[in-house]
Amino acid sequence: MGNPFTKKEREDLLSKFFDLTNKSEEIMNKIDNVNSVEPTEALTKNLSAINKELGELWTSYKDGVPFKNLSKCPFTGELLTHSLDINGLNGLWWNTDLPTRPEENLPKTYFAMSGAMKLNTPIESFPFLCATGPEVPFVLPRLLQYTQMKAVISSTTVGKHIVYFIFYYADPMIYNIERVNDYASNSYSYVNTNNEIKTWTSYENIKDFDLKSWIENGKLLWIFPEDEDLILHSDVSRCPYLNLEGSKNNKYIQNEKIWSGKNIDIKEYFANEDTSGENTTNTKNNSEEIDQDILKKAIKYMSEGGL
Amino acid sequence: MMENKFMKNKKGQYIIELNKKDISTIFIDEFGFTHNEMSPFNDKLNKYAKGSQTITSEAKGLIKDKIFIEASKTLANPYLLITTRLGGGTFNFDEIKIYKAKNSDLLVALSETPNNSYYIQVFDDYNSYIKWWVESYASKNDETVANFIPPKVKLEELLFMLHTIDYYKRLTYQNLLDYKTQTPLLAKFTDFSENMNKSIKSRDIRWLLPAFIAMTPGIAKYNLDINVEDVKVLTTQNFIGNKKDPETNENMMAFGESSLIMGLEFMRTWMLCAGFEIKILINDKTKEIDRFFIAPTALTNHFIRLEDSDDNKCMVNHQAYTIDQLSVKMQEIFEASVDQKPTSKFCSKCSTPLSENAKFCIKCGNKS
């Protein structure tokens, strides 16, 4: 972990970085343009110099991203410290296609990092794509179906926005199953059984936004927002993450524009599965019991390779 | 007349009864074993003069048994000792010591009988022992439940939480006896704390807090320092809260979600508990490797692992395990213990012996 940049250093760095990125694109357009009057050799030389400087800025940014205690392992009590650009979404950390993140030193029980974000105005301006996920937190039944897997939800602020982290932990570790992309990223890294670091991409996962039952059955623990001691809790009555207002659709931001992408909510996915035959005369009217039925069907469906 | 017997019980386990008076003649005169300081018979064998006693006919039958010979080798020169206590709730107290030698997979359990003899129970290896223990005593539930005591907490804080669970039971029974229906249950803070002192001193293993203290071998070594700050964990983890008594308007203690659920669980379904302490003989010194406590209920297996911290203090890691999780965790602990080799490397934080190329401590996770 290097020395974290100050706000001013970060602003200057990013300003220069985006400026040089624009210049780089302009030059590449000129090179591609057969009608350009500027000599290719000069353009290429200029481009090379800019790229070199971009590389240095990129390294400076990576070295300056702060680390923050974000979670705690529910099996060992070990703190999880992760890099996070808390100053705003315009940081390169938040570039979904090419996230700039330093090497992490994570607990050996760490399995995956997922997240959600409640966006507030003003939205920062940046040229890259940032996928912030839904506005309310969720869990992934596909992962929590394993007995040795648990999740912990915590939250902090990034600029004006509230980010909900859901970290997954496994004890003992599970190998050879697909994980989930690191939050706001399009890939994830993991350590395999040969102790090698590998990178992979996961595609859309079915989400469950109803957290209460997962807390009740011990699969999800929570930490009070901004609790610096990161004390883990398992009671439902005080959990601040239940019934939050916000969209369940994924949010995408680029060049100050926000748009949504439809998410797969487990209840909606299976809600219409069987509305005739047995279920119409089913004596179960309790919606919670029906929801549990849907959940069990979903897990069975996924484990049989339905996705 | 008492006889040495070897017999198989209903589960196919090999159990031998050994007269105490035969130990020296068997181990010294017949087998010629050397013995180390971890041997349960070390003192007795040290005092015995070779050839000073005559072997009995019972012992003559026993010394030909192959399993008894192997078990005796283990008992003469063990390098691993597991002290386990079983009892609490509705069960009486019992202590069994289990031994393992370096060149043998056998686990040999030894318990004293009231008849001046020992029962020796032999397990093929630690996996067999764990399988037997889990089948005999663990909760069979395979559904996960909430862990209201997430890691890690101080030992002193845990004692408060265990007492709150007991106190819920106490007040419920009191209401029953008084034909009262008090909803919610309320208590005075002073009564709660006074009762905690009594509970700790009582060693009455029918209650969870004294059972935890009595059943966990070696817990006396920790420098227990209970102070007011430790009570905070009860509100932090929603074990208790404040509530006004509707009749007197006095500020009272009410049970929170965590103690309501755990209180009911333990009141209705807790039958027994067990404590384990694992020591090894390494470089001629006895070192403590691990210490944990298990309290099975109908819902789950409460697993409490005690971890040494600075100044002879203790942090505890509580988990609520399904039957499979418990088996896996016990296997992990036993495997790490039996794999201990003579080493000059120890954890700088908790002094656990480490393998020479270990990067982390297997017990506390400290980077080595």
Side-chain angles (χ1 to χ4, degrees):
Chain A
M1 300 180 195
N3 289 324
F5 40 53
T6 63
K7 272 191 179 174
K8 178 81 172 51
E9 284 169 346
R10 177 183 176 277
E11 274 171 29
D12 290 345
L13 190 157
L14 289 175
S15 174
K16 202 168 181 184
F17 186 92
F18 295 141
D19 186 47
L20 285 174
T21 304
N22 285 338
K23 283 184 180 159
S24 169
E25 280 179 22
E26 279 173 21
I27 294 172
M28 284 196 291
N29 287 338
K30 283 179 185 174
I31 292 171
D32 288 341
N33 183 359
V34 294
N35 296 322
S36 171
V37 295
E38 292 182 58
T40 307
E41 200 180 314
L43 288 172
T44 307
K45 198 174 172 188
N46 199 3
L47 180 65
S48 185
I50 288 174
N51 284 342
K52 185 168 180 273
E53 198 174 348
L54 276 172
E56 285 163 4
L57 288 170
W58 181 86
T59 303
S60 295
Y61 176 85
K62 191 155 81 87
D63 290 343
V65 173
F67 282 78
K68 195 173 160 75
N69 291 334
L70 293 178
S71 184
K72 189 181 270 185
C73 173
F75 297 110
T76 63
E78 188 180 347
L79 278 180
L80 184 146
T81 305
H82 203 285
S83 69
L84 180 65
D85 189 342
I86 55 171
N87 297 290
L89 298 180
N90 58 344
L92 304 180
W93 194 96
W94 292 97
N95 182 342
T96 293
D97 289 328
L98 199 64
T100 301
R101 299 180 184 181
E103 194 179 319
E104 310 289 349
N105 187 8
L106 299 169
K108 54 183 167 60
T109 49
Y110 165 85
F111 187 82
M113 172 175 83
S114 171
M117 183 178 283
K118 181 80 173 83
L119 293 168
N120 290 309
T121 52
I123 300 292
E124 299 89 331
S125 176
F126 45 87
F128 53 76
L129 174 71
C130 176
T132 57
E135 289 192 316
V136 288
F138 58 92
V139 294
L140 300 170
R142 176 178 69 82
L143 298 184
L144 291 183
Q145 64 171 311
Y146 297 99
T147 307
Q148 71 256 57
M149 189 82 73
K150 287 191 184 189
V152 175
I153 179 170
S154 58
S155 78
T156 188
T157 51
V158 168
K160 299 258 188 254
H161 318 295
I162 301 170
V163 60
Y164 304 103
F165 282 108
I166 304 101
F167 284 96
Y168 292 81
Y169 300 85
D171 181 32
M173 184 48 61
I174 312 175
Y175 297 97
N176 302 326
I177 67 162
E178 189 174 288
R179 302 190 185 206
V180 64
N181 293 338
D182 290 340
Y183 178 55
S185 167
N186 63 2
S187 65
Y188 65 86
S189 296
Y190 65 99
V191 180
N192 67 7
T193 46
N194 294 329
N195 223 28
E196 298 161 332
I197 298 176
K198 297 285 182 186
T199 303
W200 199 250
T201 293
S202 166
Y203 294 96
E204 191 55 80
N205 289 270
I206 292 182
K207 300 175 169 66
D208 190 350
F209 293 90
D210 181 4
L211 306 182
K212 180 168 177 270
S213 60
W214 296 101
I215 299 174
E216 284 170 342
N217 70 17
K219 300 297 281 182
L220 177 66
L221 291 85
W222 54 271
I223 296 171
F224 273 114
E226 304 289 3
D227 175 11
E228 288 184 0
D229 293 327
L230 295 164
I231 296 172
L232 292 165
H233 301 277
S234 289
D235 53 315
V236 166
S237 53
R238 298 176 310 162
C239 180
Y241 301 106
L242 303 181
N243 305 315
L244 293 174
E245 297 277 320
S247 169
K248 292 179 183 174
N249 291 327
N250 290 333
K251 300 288 184 188
Y252 303 91
I253 309 170
Q254 187 171 28
N255 289 323
E256 295 176 66
K257 291 195 180 78
I258 308 172
W259 66 98
S260 296
K262 180 71 179 162
N263 227 330
I264 305 177
D265 180 348
I266 194 167
K267 286 192 178 57
E268 291 172 18
Y269 196 86
F270 289 100
N272 298 319
E273 192 187 49
D274 185 3
T275 54
S276 62
E278 284 181 6
N279 280 352
T280 55
T281 56
N282 198 321
T283 52
K284 284 186 189 174
N285 288 319
N286 185 302
S287 61
E288 274 193 10
E289 287 176 350
I290 292 172
D291 288 347
Q292 288 300 318
D293 273 348
I294 291 169
L295 209 55
K296 282 175 188 167
K297 280 177 190 167
I299 289 170
K300 184 173 182 294
Y301 183 77
M302 285 183 283
S303 60
E304 286 168 2
L307 290 178
Chain B
M1 185 179 182
M2 189 163 41
E3 293 180 354
N4 289 322
K5 300 170 196 170
F6 47 90
M7 58 200 176
K8 269 196 176 177
N9 68 7
K10 286 179 193 173
K11 291 186 180 177
Q13 292 148 3
Y14 206 85
I15 297 179
I16 307 158
E17 188 173 359
L18 173 66
N19 281 331
K20 286 184 181 178
K21 65 179 170 62
D22 286 328
I23 290 171
S24 300
T25 50
I26 290 173
F27 278 64
I28 303 286
D29 295 336
E30 294 301 321
F31 291 155
F33 287 153
T34 58
H35 47 93
N36 66 24
E37 63 184 66
M38 193 175 258
S39 168
F41 310 135
N42 192 48
D43 285 346
K44 192 180 184 68
L45 297 177
N46 275 337
K47 291 171 189 166
Y48 179 70
K50 191 175 165 63
S52 58
Q53 286 177 17
T54 312
I55 188 168
T56 63
S57 55
E58 295 87 2
K60 277 184 185 171
L62 207 52
I63 60 174
K64 292 173 187 163
D65 184 85
K66 284 182 186 172
I67 295 178
F68 177 74
I69 295 169
E70 291 306 310
S72 299
K73 284 181 189 172
T74 297
L75 291 173
N77 284 290
Y79 89 109
L80 184 83
L81 164 62
I82 303 161
T83 303
T84 165
R85 294 175 183 168
L86 191 72
T90 56
F91 277 59
N92 288 331
F93 178 95
D94 193 15
E95 181 173 285
I96 299 170
K97 290 185 189 272
I98 306 171
Y99 298 89
K100 185 188 182 303
K102 271 184 197 162
N103 299 321
S104 169
D105 287 335
L106 292 184
L107 245 58
V108 181
L110 193 75
S111 59
E112 287 198 54
T113 77
N115 305 323
N116 202 35
S117 66
Y118 288 106
Y119 274 132
I120 299 175
Q121 187 172 356
V122 181
F123 298 90
D124 290 337
D125 51 32
Y126 63 82
N127 282 318
S128 304
Y129 170 74
I130 291 167
K131 185 168 181 284
W132 167 81
W133 196 95
V134 165
E135 279 174 7
S136 302
Y137 303 117
S139 167
K140 306 297 180 282
N141 193 15
D142 62 358
E143 304 271 340
T144 55
V145 300
N147 178 8
F148 293 106
I149 312 176
K152 289 180 192 174
V153 295
K154 290 165 56 183
L155 178 58
E156 292 84 349
E157 290 172 329
L158 175 75
L159 299 184
F160 274 102
M161 288 192 262
L162 297 183
H163 181 61
T164 313
I165 294 167
D166 277 341
Y167 209 64
Y168 174 87
K169 181 162 109 177
R170 185 181 186 82
L171 287 192
T172 306
Y173 285 161
Q174 195 63 56
N175 278 355
L176 275 169
L177 291 170
D178 294 341
Y179 301 104
K180 266 170 47 174
T181 314
Q182 186 189 41
T183 313
L185 284 176
L186 298 175
K188 291 183 182 176
F189 287 100
T190 46
D191 290 346
F192 175 83
S193 57
E194 276 170 18
N195 189 259
M196 185 168 167
N197 278 332
K198 277 187 194 169
S199 176
I200 291 174
K201 287 175 186 169
S202 73
R203 293 294 197 264
D204 184 347
I205 61 175
R206 293 173 298 178
W207 297 90
L208 180 60
L209 169 58
F212 169 74
I213 294 171
M215 289 299 153
T216 308
I219 199 173
K221 78 165 201 173
Y222 295 115
N223 189 12
L224 267 184
D225 181 24
I226 298 175
N227 62 60
V228 172
E229 290 293 306
D230 298 322
V231 173
K232 280 186 190 169
V233 74
L234 295 180
T235 45
T236 307
Q237 291 298 350
N238 204 3
F239 272 76
I240 64 170
N242 286 317
K243 203 163 181 72
K244 295 266 188 208
D245 187 317
E247 288 174 18
T248 64
N249 214 35
E250 193 183 344
N251 216 19
M252 303 283 271
M253 183 187 100
F255 293 94
E257 182 183 336
S258 304
S259 54
L260 286 172
I261 293 173
M262 290 189 78
L264 204 59
E265 176 194 352
F266 274 85
M267 189 172 75
R268 296 203 177 157
T269 73
W270 174 57
M271 305 280 277
L272 60 87
C273 55
F276 293 78
E277 178 187 62
I278 303 178
K279 290 181 178 176
I280 57 166
L281 192 65
I282 196 155
N283 298 340
D284 293 331
K285 287 184 184 159
T286 303
K287 282 267 179 190
E288 291 166 9
I289 294 294
D290 230 302
R291 186 175 284 110
F292 55 93
F293 171 86
I294 304 172
T297 67
L299 292 188
T300 191
N301 294 289
H302 292 272
F303 182 91
I304 299 174
R305 198 165 181 186
L306 288 80
E307 298 171 8
D308 295 352
S309 61
D310 301 330
D311 295 334
N312 227 21
K313 294 286 199 175
C314 175
M315 297 296 288
V316 298
N317 183 340
H318 169 271
Q319 297 292 327
Y321 283 146
T322 63
I323 184 170
D324 291 336
Q325 286 177 307
L326 179 66
S327 295
V328 166
K329 183 54 65 177
M330 287 179 80
Q331 278 167 1
E332 192 185 288
I333 292 172
F334 278 57
E335 190 175 315
S337 301
V338 303
D339 281 348
Q340 295 288 329
K341 293 184 175 57
T343 177
S344 57
K345 192 169 175 180
F346 296 90
C347 173
S348 57
K349 195 172 171 189
C350 69
S351 302
T352 297
L354 304 175
S355 61
E356 295 302 329
N357 56 358
K359 289 184 182 160
F360 295 93
C361 173
I362 52 163
K363 190 172 177 193
C364 73
N366 187 38
K367 266 192 186 170
S368 67

